[in-house]
Amino acid sequence: MKLTKHGHACIRLEKGSRVMVIDPGTFTDVPAAMAGAEAVLVTHEHADHIDPAAVLPILDRTAGVHLYAPQAVVDQLLAHEAIGGSAGRIHVVAPGDEQHIAGFDVRVIGGQHALIHPQIPLVANLGYLIDGVLYHPGDSLIVPDGTAVDTVLVPLHAPWSKLQETVDFVVSLRAKHAYQIHDGLLNETGLGMMSGHVTRFGARYGTEFEFLQVGDSREV
């Protein structure tokens, strides 16, 4: 399948004519990411991962698009003023679910957001393992059990993360390939520093890390 990097945590997956999008949030050009998509997966409720004002109108006017998300996200979307006629195509998924969605096999991992601060409530977070080879963890560093991941999307920087945990996540997975997500809060200097660390440590354990610019695509 073809993976295309979009803004921040959003990626677009294509397999033949089938298209799936993960986490079209406020740091993303949502119409570009969702063009021709049949399915949208959302990891959690934070705005940088789901932009209801941008996503719901596309669902409303595109009858074939379905959205899958944790219960809290579904509740938020169903209560939104832009819901239109898309309510019947918004579905709850939970950890342990396995579904065939828009031509892709999806296993749901999780599901708790990484701790930001003890005084900030935790929310549900789902990771998605696609076709058994590509892993998008959302805002967590949970390692999937019972499988070897070929390609991992690495949250490069967040209010909840630190370098040690990010590197240990990459090392634990020992995936062949790694690409960054969750990079929208870093300037050029920070991106270079974080990418450099992940590249060096990942290489020691057989993981090739490559930094993707928005719009870059790779076969996975």
Side-chain angles (χ1 to χ4, degrees):
M1 58 185 155
K2 178 182 176 183
L3 178 154
T4 301
K5 163 73 174 168
H6 283 269
H8 195 52
C10 181
I11 63 163
R12 174 184 171 95
L13 300 175
E14 300 174 59
K15 188 161 57 172
S17 61
R18 316 299 293 273
V19 178
M20 172 182 287
V21 175
I22 304 178
D23 277 4
T26 52
F27 297 173
T28 298
D29 182 345
V30 172
M34 287 186 59
E38 292 182 53
V40 177
L41 305 183
V42 180
T43 61
H44 65 284
E45 63 196 71
H46 292 158
D48 56 330
H49 295 259
I50 175 65
D51 182 357
V55 171
L56 286 174
I58 297 174
L59 260 66
D60 185 35
R61 65 175 180 263
T62 313
V65 184
H66 291 253
L67 185 145
Y68 303 80
Q71 183 71 62
V73 175
V74 170
D75 293 344
Q76 176 190 22
L77 295 178
L78 293 179
H80 198 278
E81 60 184 10
I83 185 63
S86 60
R89 289 180 280 111
I90 297 176
H91 313 281
V92 175
V93 288
D97 288 353
E98 295 186 11
Q99 297 192 32
H100 190 70
I101 300 172
F104 298 84
D105 291 321
V106 178
R107 177 184 166 197
V108 185
I109 311 294
Q112 181 175 284
H113 193 286
L115 179 67
I116 301 172
H117 187 275
Q119 297 189 65
I120 298 177
L122 289 170
V123 301
N125 177 89
L126 302 179
Y128 296 107
L129 181 64
I130 310 298
D131 282 354
V133 297
L134 172 68
Y135 180 43
H136 188 309
D139 276 14
S140 77
L141 298 174
I142 295 174
V143 175
D145 61 281
T147 187
V149 176
D150 183 80
T151 301
V152 61
L153 301 171
V154 182
L156 203 59
H157 174 75
W160 49 265
S161 68
K162 65 180 181 180
L163 175 64
Q164 174 188 334
E165 296 171 342
T166 302
V167 168
D168 286 349
F169 173 68
V170 174
V171 168
S172 296
L173 282 165
R174 284 171 165 75
K176 293 179 182 177
H177 305 284
Y179 305 106
Q180 94 288 354
I181 54 171
H182 219 284
D183 53 359
L185 300 180
L186 289 174
N187 62 16
E188 185 175 348
T189 301
L191 290 171
M193 182 187 73
M194 294 298 293
S195 296
H197 284 307
V198 174
T199 298
R200 286 189 294 275
F201 283 103
R204 296 183 186 180
Y205 296 87
T207 300
E208 180 183 0
F209 175 81
E210 182 181 2
F211 185 89
L212 299 182
Q213 301 289 343
V214 171
D216 285 351
S217 297
R218 296 292 184 270
E219 294 292 327
V220 299

